[in-house]
Amino acid sequence: MEAEMLKTLPRHTCNWLKGRLTVYKYQNLWTFPHFVEAIASAQQSFKARPSDVFLCSFPKSGTTWLKALVFAITTRDKFDTISNSPLLTNLPHNCLPFLEKQLEQIVANQKNNLNTMHVATHLPYNCLPQSILASNCKMVYIYRNVKDVMVSYYHFAREIAKLSIEDAPFEEAFDDFCQGITLGGSYWDHILGYWKASLEKPETILLLKYEDMKKEPTANVKRLADFIGCPFTIEEEKADVMENIIKLCSFENLSNLQVNQSGCSNGVLAIENRLYFRKAKDGDWKNYFTDELIEKIDKLIDEKLGATGLVLK
Ligand code: A3P
């Protein structure tokens, strides 16, 4: 069925990756061939429950961090942060599933009557299964400065394609990105979709900015915990439970764990865990953008997001 479906879709082979990555356009979203059927099947069959909470993001915007935080916040009665947290021995992506990758596991969890499910997704708002919207499920959307997202995406895709920096020119990756040809589709459509929805339904969508979370982790993790219905009690705050979760999920801690340095996933794509932890530096884009690219992207940011008040430079 997948092969039949793919034949009908526009395809694009990424030249900047020496043709090693081909993506297909499904409902305005460029994606890997094996995700097309998974997305279609989630859209057709997934039945969200009002208590389910979705963690939404454009790839490379802080998904791994958000997953780790939500997992640690919601399981803090079961695990502590020093001795037995699954985050110490598992990639955060293996602690909390992706809708478009692990649908079967999610459906099985639902059958086991888990009260609240926390599920991540890179799907744009307009591609989400209808039942998520109809059930008014809560969503947390993490977003990040587009220039750093571009650089992060560039390295991630380049490493998956096993190409060196010399063999994969950033300028060409830039062009694909600006046209929305990435594994998350168009950055602009993605962020605008969730931003508009958050204005319409502020009680169901929390927007978190990656840079703000780095600057003020305590205030933002508190907001996150409150929003997903797991607020920290005064006793917990006094006992540093929240601060310990912030430390556990910090880049410094997670990126130094053995599992995140040497492990590898065994899904359709064997992605090395280390690729989810690169530098986590704000402003790393300055090492890649020429003056010409800065001018182009700033123009595009103004054009696409100027009216929103979202600050991404
Ligand atoms: P860089 O490539 O700029 O280093 P995603 O999780 O959405 O795939 O995003 C990956 C980006 O988040 C990478 O950025 C990665 O280094 C950074 N990252 C991973 N874990 C993090 C953490 N715990 N805290 C902050 N940033 C993190």
Side-chain angles (χ1 to χ4, degrees):
M1 167 180 169
E2 184 169 331
E4 284 305 304
M5 194 170 181
L6 289 180
K7 272 192 224 157
T8 63
L9 302 177
R11 58 183 258 169
H12 174 88
T13 298
C14 302
N15 286 335
W16 72 274
L17 290 167
K18 303 282 174 280
R20 294 183 193 181
L21 186 75
T22 296
V23 286
Y24 287 78
K25 194 175 194 184
Y26 173 72
Q27 292 182 350
N28 223 14
L29 168 69
W30 289 100
T31 187
F32 273 143
H34 47 272
F35 284 148
V36 170
E37 198 179 355
I39 296 171
S41 129
Q43 289 175 331
Q44 282 151 24
S45 68
F46 180 66
K47 298 270 176 292
R49 298 166 308 180
S51 60
D52 297 336
V53 177
F54 292 83
L55 313 180
C56 313
S57 60
F58 186 84
K60 315 326 289 174
S61 301
T63 321
T64 315
W65 189 16
L66 182 62
K67 275 187 167 194
L69 284 168
V70 169
F71 181 81
I73 291 170
T74 55
T75 59
R76 66 186 188 263
D77 288 343
K78 261 207 265 181
F79 307 116
D80 71 53
T81 53
I82 298 163
S83 67
N84 67 352
S85 171
L87 287 165
L88 296 167
T89 47
N90 294 274
L91 178 71
H93 291 286
N94 294 339
C95 296
L96 205 150
F98 264 119
L99 179 66
E100 55 274 34
K101 284 191 194 165
Q102 286 128 322
L103 186 60
E104 278 175 26
Q105 181 191 328
I106 295 167
V107 172
N109 285 351
Q110 278 183 330
K111 285 202 181 114
N112 288 337
N113 271 333
L114 289 183
N115 290 336
T116 296
M117 278 193 327
H118 297 91
V119 176
T121 182
H122 283 321
L123 287 181
Y125 189 79
N126 63 358
C127 289
L128 291 173
Q130 263 309 310
S131 71
I132 298 181
L133 308 181
S135 306
N136 266 326
C137 294
K138 282 190 178 173
M139 299 178 204
V140 179
Y141 185 70
I142 187 164
Y143 67 100
R144 183 181 186 192
N145 174 345
V146 64
K147 294 172 189 158
D148 280 329
V149 171
M150 268 190 199
V151 169
S152 186
Y153 179 79
Y154 161 73
H155 286 294
F156 189 72
R158 178 185 67 68
E159 292 253 25
I160 291 177
K162 303 208 180 321
L163 289 168
S164 66
I165 292 181
E166 294 69 36
D167 288 337
F170 179 73
E171 287 75 6
E172 289 177 27
F174 175 93
D175 288 339
D176 267 11
F177 193 102
C178 290
Q179 289 176 53
I181 306 173
T182 78
L183 292 172
S186 153
Y187 175 90
W188 320 107
D189 292 351
H190 209 282
I191 192 166
L192 281 171
Y194 285 95
W195 175 76
K196 281 185 191 144
S198 79
L199 295 184
E200 282 156 22
K201 303 199 273 184
E203 62 298 340
T204 55
I205 305 188
L206 172 71
L207 298 190
L208 288 177
K209 190 171 174 184
Y210 178 91
E211 291 80 9
D212 290 348
M213 289 182 54
K214 285 185 80 174
K215 253 186 259 152
E216 291 185 286
T218 308
N220 282 290
V221 170
K222 196 171 177 333
R223 277 176 80 203
L224 173 62
D226 289 348
F227 182 78
I228 62 176
C230 304
F232 291 98
T233 61
I234 293 173
E235 290 72 31
E236 282 180 317
E237 285 190 26
K238 278 190 194 144
D240 284 339
V241 176
M242 180 165 65
E243 289 307 319
N244 288 338
I245 286 178
I246 291 172
K247 272 189 213 145
L248 169 69
C249 299
S250 68
F251 179 79
E252 291 63 34
N253 185 55
L254 293 183
S255 63
N256 281 308
L257 296 175
Q258 201 191 339
V259 62
N260 296 330
Q261 290 188 337
S262 57
C264 188
S265 68
N266 53 10
V268 187
L269 274 181
I271 298 180
E272 291 174 75
N273 295 354
R274 69 173 178 89
L275 299 188
Y276 293 99
F277 305 90
R278 196 180 61 90
K279 278 190 178 174
K281 284 263 175 306
D282 294 349
D284 188 35
W285 62 267
K286 292 181 185 135
N287 297 315
Y288 297 84
F289 279 66
T290 58
D291 287 348
E292 193 190 332
L293 294 187
I294 295 175
E295 204 183 315
K296 274 192 194 169
I297 191 70
D298 283 348
K299 202 164 155 239
L300 208 49
I301 294 173
D302 282 345
E303 218 174 275
K304 301 278 188 184
L305 306 177
T308 63
L310 290 164
V311 180
L312 297 173
K313 290 184 189 174

